[in-house]
């Protein structure tokens, strides 16, 4: 239990220290961020290992007359691992990207606090704790979205809060209804609604999915995400490609498996529509991506598309579907962050944000574009990247669920991903080799190192999927 | 001596502020003494309220006190049950920080020493009237207290030296008197058919004979609803509120928005549930009217708040919206709903006072009234802005703050009574509340501050703000006995005990 | 229809009270002079007082003072009158307060007409 507390508090404590640090020791800031990100990661790994070993790590308290409970299970542990590990990488990247930028104190404060909030969502053991950390996550990421303080950033922030709070409101109603119908809110000991039936559950499930779907960027609730790309690249990479949006996806996974239970969902009529909603988002997202000129926005729509891969896996209600969803969660996150990191390096070193202007950039930033190419291959779902396995299991799950057109959707989306990004890569390597090398200097190294590391990790997991398979297996065993 | 105080404590809680109010004018010159006396009386009131509340909570039987020894139905009866204890605590608790805030702060807003003393006179009168509204069990007593409260509220509104104050006070006076007249009419109708002014006796008689004269009962309902609706700023009878609450000095706005409006709502609650009873209410579909009115008020008030540029007017319209929540809750005739109503009432009293006091501190320090002029205040006046942020978070209904528990119970109550639209409206109201409060927080913290010498207000003001802000958080985290008190009060109102 | 008229005439205090109430309400709402608004409020309050006092009246009753007469005397109900004394006092206080406010407004704006005051306020704001 101690590890749980330490893991959750690393971010908040670190954030507070940075917020209150006197100005004279500003140069120590990076070390403190590094320290607390690392500690967050290490303690999350410890908690995860305890959970996978079968031990129960629980922390519950009565606050405000209602019980809040932190109790990670394998699903939560995996999310926590993904989040905290990638947080460390993003921290290192931030050191390079945010060098000499303004408002670093605010940035790092809320950067660390959001870590705690995400871990809170991941490790939450009942609906109230999930809701609480979900709301707090919105508020702790808001200052990061409006970081640039431009009018565009402020508008994006307003949209972000509006969408998120409305979604959270829907979730609150759904939580109250859950409490009123079942009397319990805990995730342990089987689904909350085990053994219940009724038509009203269709509406309740719809309410939950709309509520969490805002953060999970299901269309048409995704509109805040492209707008939020005005944030600094590390924020877009980590939060809006991994942490915040994964909270939404995680929420939906929790609803289907821990609140309703897949047997109940199977009986509901709405479960027949859900995979198609996910399929629509997959295709529509990536198609809209092809029409975007700003690289970050193109990546944002690709995010929208790929998040629904995970949701598709969940909505098939099959074991293989869930396995594919979890695999995709793990693999997609590493590669998406890589793509965003590359976009950030390009923007920082050359000032280009639009794809039109990126011809020949590959020669200026060879390592960056190499990482970008490998990551794009992963997005398409090709061997030997780790996303291949995720897609494979997703397709297996679709077929097992009797919905083989979904497998076609996945293949089609892979093709459209290729159409979307391969020309960008080819364009960037046009022209001849240049003698300039923009990839020199400590700042770029700080940005490149995590990028390359992540690509290598993805390759390793792709070649040896057995490394992550036990975790996936544990999640499936938990729910099936 | 002690025993005579304790037996007469219910009446002392009401009379002591009234009595002290009139003494204050005799030493008007010595402001320190005046302020000290006021705070002393407020703290005494809080102690008294606390003693009564603990008494009622532990023994679980209401304290019945007969004025002058005349027993009901000939005399005026004070009945301190769970509801009265609850509201007494709210009134007493909110008055203390507000009067602390007013120390040293009033002269620039109100004027010279005598004017400050007169302000305190009216303030104590209002406090006494509110305490009376909490404990009374007699209909005409309600009218008298309502009038005392109205006049002192108008006086507080007009205490500033500006012409807007006089205008706002006049409009308020006219409309409030209109409301009082209607309330008196309603009381008249109840008296005519039942022959009783005591709430308990009137209830029994009414439930026996209402079928003989349903029209009169209907008239009584309507007069009461509209009368109290005008006084508690129920949309669309809220017209006087924005002008009045923004023209008043900040401690006055805090107590007006936070406590005065609630007092009238408590009176309405008592009359609806103790005199008419929930069966009669449902017979005449009054509960549906309340739910509908509340829903409209929430949406209208929140949208109107969004359009305001002046900080205090925005907070005033927010009050209109929050009154909608309470009226909505009144229409939910079940325990969870009424518990939520009462808890929301208490939570809003504390939160609104915090917001108005913080706003007052900001306006006094910077001289700026509009929201878009408040850039960077978060860094210059940290404690003030922190209190404001805590208040905003509480009002929006974030878990861990007091507003959440109220909203949770309200949603549960709506579910139980089968009203689906109010549930959506409650959430939409929260989102709109965030929409009109968070830009202020954002501008204050995230915009660069001009090079001005703005500072946090003085020591007593800081204490007041910290007290109120911590109350918001503490109520949200450990509502324990307070929530229990509210639940018992709800059961009491529904006559389930 | 004739029954209605008959009832209205028999219960003449109440009918008059209703008429007074409406007159008062209309005065408050439609007249622009502050004095007239105040008078409207007074008339409305008087209407309500009338309802109460008429309710207390019993036909054929004598004034409610105990005397050495026969024990079967019917006294009219003294309670509403007593309550309305309180009400009248309240009404007087409200009138006094409102008059003071009108004087203050007159000092600032030079007029006691609500529309003119609103006009002047708008001009100030526009400036």
């Amino acid at each position: 239990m101690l590890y749980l507390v330490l893991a959750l508090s690393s971010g908040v404590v670190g954030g507070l220290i940075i917020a209150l640090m006197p100005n004279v020791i500003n140069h120590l800031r990076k070390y403190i961020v590094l320290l607390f990100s690392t500690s967050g990661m290490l303690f999350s790994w410890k908690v995860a290992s305890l959970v996978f070993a079968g031990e129960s790590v629980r922390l519950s308290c009565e606050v405000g007359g209602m019980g809040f409970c932190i109790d990670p299970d394998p699903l939560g542990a995996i999310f926590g691992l993904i989040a905290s590990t990638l947080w460390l990488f993003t921290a290192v990247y931030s050191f390079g990207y945010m060098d000499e930028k303004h408002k670093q104190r605010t940035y790092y404060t809320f950067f660390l606090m959001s870590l705690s909030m995400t871990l809170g969502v991941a490790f939450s053991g009942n609906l109230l704790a999930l809701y609480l950390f979900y709301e707090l996550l919105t508020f702790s990421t808001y200052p990061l979205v409006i970081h640039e303080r431009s009018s565009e950033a402020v508008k994006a922030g307003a949209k972000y809060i509006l969408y998120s709070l409305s979604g959270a409101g829907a979730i609150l109603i759904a939580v109250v209804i859950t409490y009123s119908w079942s009397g319990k809110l805990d995730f342990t000991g089987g689904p909350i609604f085990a053994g219940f039936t009724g038509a009203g559950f269709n509406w309740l499930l719809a309410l939950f999915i709309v509520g969490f779907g805002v953060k999970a960027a299901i269309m048409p609730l995704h509109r805040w995400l492209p707008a939020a790309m005005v944030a600094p690249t590390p924020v877009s990479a980590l939060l809006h490609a991994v942490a915040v949006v994964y909270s939404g996806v995680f929420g939906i996974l929790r609803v289907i498996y821990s609140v309703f239970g897949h047997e109940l969902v199977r009986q509901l009529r709405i479960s027949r529509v859900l995979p198609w909603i996910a399929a629509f988002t997959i295709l529509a997202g990536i198609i809209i991506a092809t029409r975007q000129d700003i690289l970050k926005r193109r990546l944002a729509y690709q995010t929208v598309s790929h998040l629904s891969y995970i949701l598709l896996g969940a909505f098939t209600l099959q074991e293989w579907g869930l396995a594919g969803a979890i695999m995709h969660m793990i693999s997609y996150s590493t590669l998406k962050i890589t793509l965003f990191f590359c976009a950030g390096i390009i923007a920082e070193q050359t000032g280009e944000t639009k794809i039109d202007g990126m011809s020949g950039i590959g020669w200026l930033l060879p390592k960056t574009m190499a990482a970008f190419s490998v990551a794009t291959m992963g997005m398409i779902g090709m061997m030997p990247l780790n996303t291949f396995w995720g897609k494979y299991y997703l397709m297996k799950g679709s077929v097992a669920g009797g919905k083989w057109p979904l497998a076609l959707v996945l293949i089609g989306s892979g093709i459209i991903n290729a159409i979307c990004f391969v020309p960008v890569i080819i364009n960037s390597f046009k022209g001849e080799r240049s003698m300039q090398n923009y990839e020199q200097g400590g700042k770029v190294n700080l940005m490149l190192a995590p990028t390359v590391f992540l690509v290598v990790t993805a390759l390793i997991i792709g070649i040896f999927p057995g490394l992550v398979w036990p975790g996936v297996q544990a999640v499936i065993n938990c729910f099936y | 001596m002690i025993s005579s105080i304790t037996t007469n404590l219910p009446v002392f809680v009401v009379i002591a502020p009234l009595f002290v109010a009139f003494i204050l004018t005799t030493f008007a010159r010595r402001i320190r003494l005046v302020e000290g006396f006021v705070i002393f009386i407020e703290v005494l009131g809080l102690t008294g309220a606390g003693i009564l509340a603990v008494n009622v909570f532990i023994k679980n039987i209401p304290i019945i006190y007969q004025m002058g020894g005349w027993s009901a139905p000939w005399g005026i009866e004070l009945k301190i049950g769970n509801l009265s204890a609850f509201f007494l605590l709210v009134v007493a608790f909110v008055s203390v920080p507000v009067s602390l805030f007013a120390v040293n702060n009033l002269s620039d807003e109100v004027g010279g020493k005598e004017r400050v003393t007169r302000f305190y006179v009216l303030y104590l009168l209002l406090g006494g009237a509110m305490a009376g509204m909490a404990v009374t069990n007699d209909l005409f007593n309600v009218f008298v207290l309502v009038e005392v409260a109205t006049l002192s509220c108008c006086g507080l509104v007009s205490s500033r030296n500006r012409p807007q104050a006089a205008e706002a006070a006049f409009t308020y006076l006219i409309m409030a008197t209109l409301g009082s007249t209607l309330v008196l009419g309603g009381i008249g109708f109840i008296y005519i058919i039942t022959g009783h002014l005591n709430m308990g006796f009137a209830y029994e008689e009414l439930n026996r004979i209402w079928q003989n004269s349903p029209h009169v009962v209907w008239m009584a309902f309507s007069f009461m609803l509209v009368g109290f609706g005008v006084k508690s700023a129920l949309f669309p009878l809220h017209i006087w509120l924005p002008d009045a609450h923004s023209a008043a000095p900040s401690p006055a706005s805090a107590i007006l928005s936070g406590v005065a409006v609630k007092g009238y709502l408590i009176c309405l609650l008592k009359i609806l549930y103790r005199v008419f009873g929930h069966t009669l209410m449902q017979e005449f579909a009054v509960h549906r009217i309340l739910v509908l009115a509340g829903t409209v008020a929430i949406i209208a008030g929140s949208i109107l708040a969004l359009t305001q540029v002046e900080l205090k007017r925005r907070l005033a319209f927010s009050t209109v919206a929050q009154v909608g929540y309470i009226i909505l809750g009144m229409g939910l005739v079940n325990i969870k709903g009424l518990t939520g109503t009462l808890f929301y009432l208490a939570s809003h009293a504390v939160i609104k006072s915090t917001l108005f006091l913080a706003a007052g501190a900001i306006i006094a320090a910077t001289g700026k009234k509009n929201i878009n002029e408040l850039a960077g205040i978060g860094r210059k006046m940290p404690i003030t802005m922190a209190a404001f942020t805590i208040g905003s978070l509480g009002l929006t209904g974030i878990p861990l703050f007091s507003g959440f528990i109220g909203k949770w119970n309200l949603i549960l109550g709506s579910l139980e009574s089968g009203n689906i639209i109010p549930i959506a409206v409650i959430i939409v109201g929260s989102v709109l509340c965030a929409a009109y409060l968070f830009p202020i927080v954002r501008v204050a913290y995230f915009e660069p501050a001009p090079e001005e010498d703005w500072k946090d207000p003085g020591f007593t003001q800081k204490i007041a703000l910290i007290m109120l802000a911590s109350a918001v958080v503490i109520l949200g985290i450990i509502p324990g006995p307070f929530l229990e008190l509210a639940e018992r009060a709800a059961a009491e109102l529904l006559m389930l005990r | 229809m004739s029954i209605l008229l008959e009832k209205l005439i028999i219960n003449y205090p109440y009918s008059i009270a209703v008429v007074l109430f409406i007159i008062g309400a209309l005065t408050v709402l439609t007249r622009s002079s502050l004095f007239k608004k105040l008078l409207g409020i007074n008339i409305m309050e008087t209407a309500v007082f009338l309802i109460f006092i008429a309710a207390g009246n019993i036909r054929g009753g004598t004034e409610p003072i105990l005397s050495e007469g026969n024990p079967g005397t019917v006294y009219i109900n003294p309670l509403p009158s007593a309550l309305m004394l309180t009400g009248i006092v309240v009404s007087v206080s409200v009138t006094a307060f409102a008059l003071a406010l009108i004087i203050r407004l007159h000092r600032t704006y030079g007029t006691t007409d609500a529309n003119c005051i609103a006009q002047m306020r708008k001009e100030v704001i526009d400036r």
Side-chain angles (χ1 to χ4, degrees):
Chain A
M1 204 194 78
L2 177 65
Y3 294 112
L4 198 52
V5 172
L6 285 173
L8 283 174
S9 57
S10 297
V12 174
V13 169
L16 280 175
I17 292 183
I18 296 205
L20 301 171
M21 251 169 63
N23 269 329
V24 286
I25 45 175
N26 269 348
H27 52 279
L28 288 181
R29 191 184 289 137
K30 293 198 188 129
Y31 298 106
I32 297 190
V33 175
L34 196 57
L35 171 67
F36 283 99
S37 315
T38 321
S39 78
M41 184 183 93
L42 287 174
F43 291 126
S44 308
W45 277 92
K46 183 72 184 148
V47 168
S49 69
L50 284 173
V51 170
F52 285 128
E55 279 183 42
S56 165
V57 196
R58 196 188 164 93
L59 182 68
S60 69
C61 57
E62 277 270 321
V63 166
M66 288 178 273
F68 288 86
C69 168
I70 310 274
D71 190 354
D73 66 346
L75 179 60
I78 289 196
F79 180 27
L81 285 180
I82 299 175
S84 53
T85 317
L86 293 174
W87 225 278
L88 180 58
F89 285 106
T90 314
V92 175
Y93 182 86
S94 300
F95 296 150
Y97 185 89
M98 296 291 295
D99 201 23
E100 284 165 35
K101 288 224 169 55
H102 64 143
K103 306 255 179 300
Q104 290 194 28
R105 182 192 290 256
T106 319
Y107 176 84
Y108 284 114
T109 307
F110 288 103
F111 182 75
L112 284 178
M113 288 209 181
S114 306
L115 170 61
S116 279
M117 304 307 161
T118 315
L119 285 179
V121 171
F123 293 155
S124 57
N126 74 352
L127 273 175
L128 268 181
L130 183 61
Y131 172 72
L132 170 66
F133 283 108
Y134 200 79
E135 284 261 53
L136 290 178
L137 184 61
T138 308
F139 289 124
S140 68
T141 48
Y142 173 74
L144 296 171
V145 171
I146 63 168
H147 184 259
E148 297 297 326
R149 310 292 164 87
S150 61
S151 70
E152 203 195 328
V154 170
K155 270 197 278 220
K159 213 169 178 176
Y160 180 56
I161 288 237
L162 198 64
Y163 270 81
S164 294
L165 282 184
S166 311
I171 297 174
L172 179 61
I173 300 180
V175 170
V176 177
I177 296 181
T178 309
Y179 181 70
S180 161
W181 286 356
S182 74
K184 66 185 248 226
L185 291 171
D186 274 18
F187 293 144
T188 48
I192 294 180
F193 283 130
F196 283 64
T197 40
F201 286 96
N202 278 306
W203 291 107
L204 187 58
L205 185 59
L207 199 56
F208 265 118
I209 291 193
V210 166
F212 281 111
V214 169
K215 279 220 168 72
I218 301 181
M219 285 187 152
L221 306 162
H222 67 289
R223 312 236 19 214
W224 60 273
L225 191 55
M229 289 298 122
V230 72
T233 307
V235 174
S236 304
L238 182 64
L239 294 173
H240 300 131
V242 177
V244 169
V245 295
Y246 269 16
S247 312
V249 169
F250 179 77
I252 295 187
L253 285 173
R254 271 273 178 250
V255 164
I256 294 188
Y257 287 102
S258 300
V259 176
F260 281 74
H262 60 98
E263 280 140 5
L264 175 58
V265 179
R266 215 181 298 253
Q267 293 171 14
L268 296 177
R269 267 186 297 162
I270 198 174
S271 66
R272 273 169 244 160
V273 179
L274 291 173
W276 300 110
I277 297 181
F280 173 71
T281 308
I282 293 178
L283 289 175
I286 197 66
I287 292 177
I288 299 183
T290 54
R291 304 189 49 215
Q292 298 298 318
D293 194 31
I294 304 182
L295 182 57
K296 276 179 83 176
R297 284 181 84 102
R298 192 175 275 215
L299 291 173
Y301 279 102
Q302 191 192 38
T303 306
V304 172
S305 169
H306 273 264
L307 284 173
S308 286
Y309 272 55
I310 306 174
L311 292 178
L312 183 67
F315 291 152
T316 57
L317 303 170
Q318 301 293 325
E319 293 181 29
W320 285 117
L322 182 57
I326 307 287
M327 280 299 287
H328 199 78
M329 261 179 92
I330 302 175
S331 15
Y332 159 80
S333 53
T334 50
L335 293 175
K336 201 47 190 276
I337 290 196
T338 310
L339 286 172
F340 268 108
F341 282 178
C342 297
I345 297 178
I346 297 176
E348 276 299 290
Q349 296 303 102
T350 65
E352 271 306 327
T353 51
K354 294 208 172 156
I355 295 179
D356 281 352
M358 286 186 191
S359 78
I361 246 181
W363 301 121
L364 299 174
L365 299 164
K367 294 196 204 108
T368 312
M369 284 317 286
F372 194 92
S373 322
V374 175
T376 308
M377 273 171 44
M379 286 295 148
I380 302 175
M382 287 166 55
M383 284 275 251
L385 273 308
N386 48 5
T387 37
F388 168 76
W389 297 105
K391 236 173 141 167
Y392 176 59
Y393 296 136
L394 282 175
M395 292 201 275
K396 250 181 128 165
S398 320
V399 171
K403 298 193 177 65
W404 55 267
L406 295 175
L408 289 180
V409 166
L410 288 168
I411 298 178
S413 134
I415 298 177
I416 306 183
N417 262 291
I419 299 177
C420 192
F421 282 96
V422 170
V424 176
I425 302 177
I426 297 181
N427 192 20
S428 72
F429 281 109
K430 268 210 192 116
E432 34 192 70
R433 214 182 183 103
S434 154
M435 280 303 111
Q436 297 170 295
N437 189 354
Y438 278 47
E439 281 176 340
Q440 274 173 334
K443 171 172 162 158
V444 186
N445 285 337
L446 277 174
M447 291 200 279
L448 260 185
T451 320
V452 170
F453 204 98
L454 283 171
V455 171
V456 170
T457 316
L459 277 169
I460 295 180
I461 300 183
I463 302 178
F464 301 108
L467 286 174
V468 296
W469 182 248
V472 179
Q473 185 77 40
V475 176
I476 300 186
N477 288 341
C478 190
F479 294 123
Y480 279 89
Chain B
M1 169 77 177
I2 301 289
S3 67
S4 74
I5 293 186
T6 37
T7 36
N8 295 320
L9 195 53
V11 101
F12 274 136
V13 174
V14 179
I15 299 188
L18 299 180
F19 187 60
V20 173
F22 291 118
I23 301 184
L24 279 183
T25 41
T26 56
F27 39 88
R29 299 276 162 153
R30 316 203 356 225
I31 284 288
R32 294 287 151 262
L33 197 55
V34 169
E35 289 168 349
F37 220 139
V38 168
I39 297 179
F40 177 64
I41 280 294
E42 300 285 3
V43 173
L44 270 187
L46 182 56
T47 332
I51 296 177
L52 285 170
V54 167
N55 220 330
V56 171
F57 192 66
I58 297 184
K59 293 204 193 130
N60 219 357
I61 25 168
I63 302 176
I64 305 208
Y65 179 86
Q66 282 129 4
M67 294 276 284
W70 297 103
S71 57
W74 298 282
I76 298 180
E77 188 185 64
L78 302 179
K79 182 170 165 196
I80 306 195
N82 292 301
L83 178 62
S84 316
F86 186 83
F87 191 59
L88 263 182
L89 279 177
V90 171
V91 170
F93 181 73
V94 174
S95 321
V96 175
V98 175
S99 47
L100 273 177
F101 188 90
V103 167
N104 266 336
N105 209 7
L106 279 180
S107 355
D108 27 324
E109 290 197 76
V110 167
K113 289 200 191 132
E114 279 104 9
R115 294 178 69 99
V116 172
T117 314
R118 283 179 229 149
F119 178 91
Y120 279 116
V121 168
L122 294 166
Y123 186 81
L124 282 180
L125 281 176
L126 182 59
M130 289 293 136
M133 283 188 202
V135 301
T136 182
N137 203 27
D138 181 281
L139 277 173
F140 197 72
N141 205 7
V142 165
F143 173 68
V144 171
L145 292 168
V146 158
E147 281 302 328
V148 174
T150 306
L151 282 171
S152 29
C153 285
C154 286
L156 287 174
V157 169
S158 69
S159 60
R160 241 196 187 173
N161 249 331
R162 311 274 163 75
Q164 296 104 302
E167 273 179 70
F170 190 79
T171 319
Y172 184 18
L173 189 60
I174 297 290
M175 289 203 73
T177 316
L178 178 67
S180 306
T181 316
L182 290 171
V183 165
L184 186 58
I187 296 177
F189 292 128
I190 297 178
Y191 178 66
I192 289 176
I193 38 175
T194 60
H196 287 294
L197 285 174
N198 183 298
M199 289 193 194
F201 283 90
Y203 171 70
E204 283 159 18
E205 191 67 29
L206 199 57
N207 271 295
R208 245 182 337 122
I209 59 158
W210 69 269
Q211 269 133 350
N212 301 344
S213 33
H215 307 291
V216 184
V217 177
W218 190 212
M219 293 246 288
F221 263 125
S222 336
F223 271 53
M224 287 292 183
L225 279 175
V226 176
F228 278 111
V230 169
K231 301 187 88 72
S232 41
L234 179 62
F235 188 88
L237 306 159
H238 67 288
I239 312 174
W240 54 269
L241 189 120
D243 296 318
H245 286 196
S246 48
S250 352
S253 308
I255 205 82
L256 283 173
S257 242
V259 175
V261 166
K262 308 300 178 303
Y264 300 128
L265 286 170
I266 290 277
C267 282
L268 181 60
L269 194 60
K270 272 196 198 175
I271 292 181
L272 283 178
Y273 279 92
R274 267 198 217 168
V275 178
F276 289 103
H278 66 98
T279 6
L280 213 56
M281 273 176 68
Q282 284 170 313
E283 186 73 43
F284 281 89
V286 170
H287 63 303
R288 294 229 190 92
I289 297 179
L290 287 171
V291 169
L292 183 61
T295 316
V296 171
I298 296 177
I299 303 285
S302 305
I303 294 184
L304 284 172
L306 279 170
T307 63
Q308 299 299 315
V309 175
E310 228 187 278
L311 179 58
K312 278 179 111 176
R313 281 183 79 92
R314 190 171 271 212
L315 291 177
F317 274 104
S318 166
T319 306
V320 174
Q322 306 302 317
V323 165
Y325 276 96
I326 302 175
I327 295 270
L328 170 66
M330 272 197 220
L332 303 171
V333 190
N334 49 48
I335 291 200
K336 283 290 176 198
L338 285 177
T339 315
T341 313
L342 288 172
F343 203 85
Y344 200 83
L345 191 141
S347 144
H348 179 246
V350 178
I351 292 177
K352 235 343 138 40
S353 315
T354 319
L355 289 176
F356 263 114
L357 288 184
I362 293 176
I363 297 180
T366 67
K368 299 197 187 295
K369 294 192 304 179
N370 290 339
I371 291 175
N372 39 23
E373 296 170 337
L374 297 177
I377 294 243
R379 271 180 292 276
K380 302 271 181 171
M381 306 174 68
I383 296 190
T384 318
M385 232 16 236
F388 194 91
T389 315
I390 293 180
S392 318
L393 288 174
L395 206 56
T396 323
I398 308 294
L400 297 187
F401 293 96
S402 51
F404 177 68
I405 301 177
K407 289 213 169 112
W408 175 272
N409 282 303
L410 279 176
I411 298 182
L412 267 179
S414 308
L415 265 181
E416 260 185 62
S417 61
N419 291 311
I420 306 295
I421 298 191
I423 303 181
V425 168
I426 292 177
I427 297 295
V428 169
S430 303
V431 177
L432 286 173
C433 182
Y436 61 69
L437 281 180
F438 283 155
I440 307 176
V441 177
R442 175 182 64 82
V443 169
Y445 278 118
F446 293 118
E447 300 247 331
E451 291 304 312
E452 304 263 2
D453 187 28
W454 295 333
K455 282 195 310 254
D456 259 333
F459 182 65
T460 37
Q461 281 86 15
K462 279 200 274 243
I463 300 271
L465 286 170
I466 294 178
M467 264 181 84
L468 284 172
S470 14
V472 175
V473 176
I474 293 179
L475 273 183
I477 301 186
I478 341 169
F482 207 59
L483 188 59
E484 175 76 31
L485 195 60
E487 257 190 71
R488 290 199 204 165
E492 194 182 80
L493 282 173
L494 292 172
M495 314 266 184
L496 293 175
R497 216 162 272 184
Chain C
M1 181 61 193
S2 61
I3 304 182
L4 180 64
L5 214 50
E6 204 182 300
K7 282 212 164 137
L8 277 176
I9 295 180
I10 291 182
N11 296 310
Y12 65 91
Y14 300 101
S15 328
I16 296 180
V18 168
V19 171
L20 277 178
F21 194 88
I22 296 177
I23 292 177
L26 281 176
T27 317
V28 174
L29 293 173
T30 55
R31 296 281 167 226
S32 63
S33 163
L34 294 177
F35 281 117
K36 295 211 176 133
K37 287 188 196 283
L38 184 57
L39 281 176
I41 292 282
N42 266 307
I43 297 176
M44 279 174 66
E45 290 182 319
T46 312
V48 178
F49 298 156
L50 188 53
I51 295 181
F52 256 93
I53 298 177
N57 188 29
I58 302 179
R59 276 179 226 285
T62 53
E63 65 265 13
I65 302 174
L66 270 181
S67 63
E68 305 288 340
N70 45 352
T73 28
V74 177
Y75 299 108
I76 62 175
N77 194 347
L79 185 60
S81 314
L83 298 179
M84 288 311 104
L85 280 174
T86 317
I88 293 175
V89 168
V90 168
S91 169
V92 166
S93 332
V94 169
T95 310
F97 190 9
L99 285 172
L101 283 175
I102 294 179
I103 293 180
R104 194 165 140 189
L105 281 172
H106 180 80
R107 272 202 212 129
T108 322
Y109 290 108
T111 169
T112 56
D113 188 279
N115 290 340
C116 294
I117 295 180
Q119 193 71 27
M120 278 190 236
R121 252 237 287 191
K122 219 174 283 180
E123 282 166 16
V124 171
I125 295 177
D126 288 340
R127 225 187 301 142

